[in-house]
Structure formats: structure tokens, C-alpha cells
Amino acid sequence: MGGSHKNLIFVYGTLKRNHRNHFLLEDLISTNDAVYIGQRTTRLQYPLVTGLYGIPYLINKSGSGQKIRGELYSVSKHGLVRLDELEGIKVNHYERLPIEVIDEEDEEESNVVVLAEAYFAHCSFGERLWEKKGKCGMCEFGENDGVLYVRVKDRPRFSSVLDEIEAFVSSSND
């Protein structure tokens, strides 16, 4: 089987249950490379916005935005490789960084802080995207947001999300 689950990953977007990329986590769960732990909320506030193609981005700027609701998974080394691939770690689309999460539902555990990791918008564009979106963030990537997400295979054939983001955050607001 998939081996020990060492890596705690907080997912807030299309990897959540009932969202477009959750099939990857379902695959990993079926091979014992991932285990669902439960609903969690970030201890600190972070910006969460959607960018082009309805792609959700958590932005590494704690103190701005809201506390974010998502799901916590324990993932094997192999599972992490698969997630990193999806999130475009090598091409600097997202970066996997530490994040503190709490269990708001459980009153006895609500003050227990767990250190996990999350996929944040890469710093090359994250903060500029936040400014471009008028510094208006969500607390949760919901079902209605998920409907607007365009899967890679449905995007224009030669589109490069990174080039398009760069053009978007660099464009003037008028």
C-alpha cells in the first residue's frame, strides 16, 4: 500500500469534495495514498480569490482576507508528487507552504493548532492578483464558484495560464 501518511495537506479549492479535481484525491484514497481527516479552518486570515478560468488561489499574505474553510488530508510521499504535479509546483504556478489550521466544529479541539501545508498562489503573482481583485477575498470556495472552474482540457488549446495571469495582473485597471 501507499506507505505512511506523513504530509498534512489543507485543500481549499478544486481538490475539495464535490469539486472538479477531487477525483485525484479519490484516486489517492483508493490506493491508500491519502486519508481524509476532516473540515478545517485556517488559524489566520488569508486572501482567497479566483483568477482566470475560475481557478482559486490562496495568497500568502496572512492578516488580509478572511479565515478560510477547507479540508485536511494526510498524504503519502507518492500522493504529494501527484498533487504537486496538478498544482504546477515545477512551473511556479503554486507553491506548497506551511499553514496552521484549527477544527472550529470541535469545541474541545478548537484551540489545537495543527501545522499543515497548502498550495498558495506563487509569490511571483500572488500579491498582485490580490490587488487586482480589489483585495476582496472569499472565506470559502463554494459550489457556485466551482461551477465557473474551467478544466485544463477545456481551456483554449495554446493557453498558458501563467502567461495569462502575468498579463492580467500587469494590465492597468482602466
Side-chain angles (χ1 to χ4, degrees):
M1 299 300 268
S4 61
H5 302 125
K6 289 279 195 306
N7 308 281
L8 291 175
I9 300 292
F10 174 75
V11 305
Y12 57 84
T14 63
L15 283 166
K16 292 194 303 184
R17 295 184 297 182
N18 302 322
H19 284 274
R20 290 293 185 76
N21 287 322
H22 186 69
F23 68 87
L24 175 56
L25 275 169
E26 282 179 354
D27 279 357
L28 295 175
I29 288 168
S30 71
T31 55
N32 201 28
D33 283 300
V35 174
Y36 173 69
I37 295 175
Q39 302 280 336
R40 293 293 184 273
T41 305
T42 60
R43 184 176 76 81
L44 302 173
Q45 297 170 303
Y46 290 94
L48 172 59
V49 299
T50 51
L52 305 171
Y53 304 116
I55 300 171
Y57 294 101
L58 192 62
I59 295 168
N60 189 24
K61 193 173 165 56
S62 62
S64 297
Q66 307 185 48
K67 292 183 177 182
I68 307 302
R69 288 196 291 271
E71 298 170 0
L72 189 64
Y73 290 83
S74 178
V75 181
S76 72
K77 272 269 187 332
H78 165 72
L80 207 52
V81 169
R82 295 272 311 276
L83 291 176
D84 282 357
E85 254 168 47
L86 174 80
E87 303 290 2
I89 294 292
K90 285 202 179 98
V91 296
N92 295 343
H93 189 190
Y94 288 86
E95 46 190 349
R96 180 161 41 82
L97 300 169
I99 193 165
E100 293 180 336
V101 297
I102 56 171
D103 184 352
E104 279 195 328
E105 307 296 299
D106 186 335
E107 297 198 353
E108 288 175 21
E109 294 290 318
S110 62
N111 54 358
V112 177
V113 176
V114 173
L115 186 62
E117 290 183 300
Y119 291 97
F120 288 87
H122 193 271
C123 60
S124 60
F125 66 85
E127 250 185 77
R128 289 184 298 154
L129 180 60
W130 173 232
E131 282 160 18
K132 192 74 182 170
K133 297 290 283 195
K135 300 190 177 179
C136 180
M138 320 185 264
C139 66
E140 188 165 30
F141 183 73
E143 305 276 330
N144 296 341
D145 304 299
V147 173
L148 303 174
Y149 175 73
V150 181
R151 280 177 290 204
V152 174
K153 66 180 179 61
D154 299 324
R155 293 176 199 161
R157 216 175 113 212
F158 298 109
S159 80
S160 155
V161 166
L162 277 176
D163 292 347
E164 292 177 48
I165 288 172
E166 183 54 47
F168 177 65
V169 297
S170 306
S171 63
S172 68
N173 274 333
D174 35 66

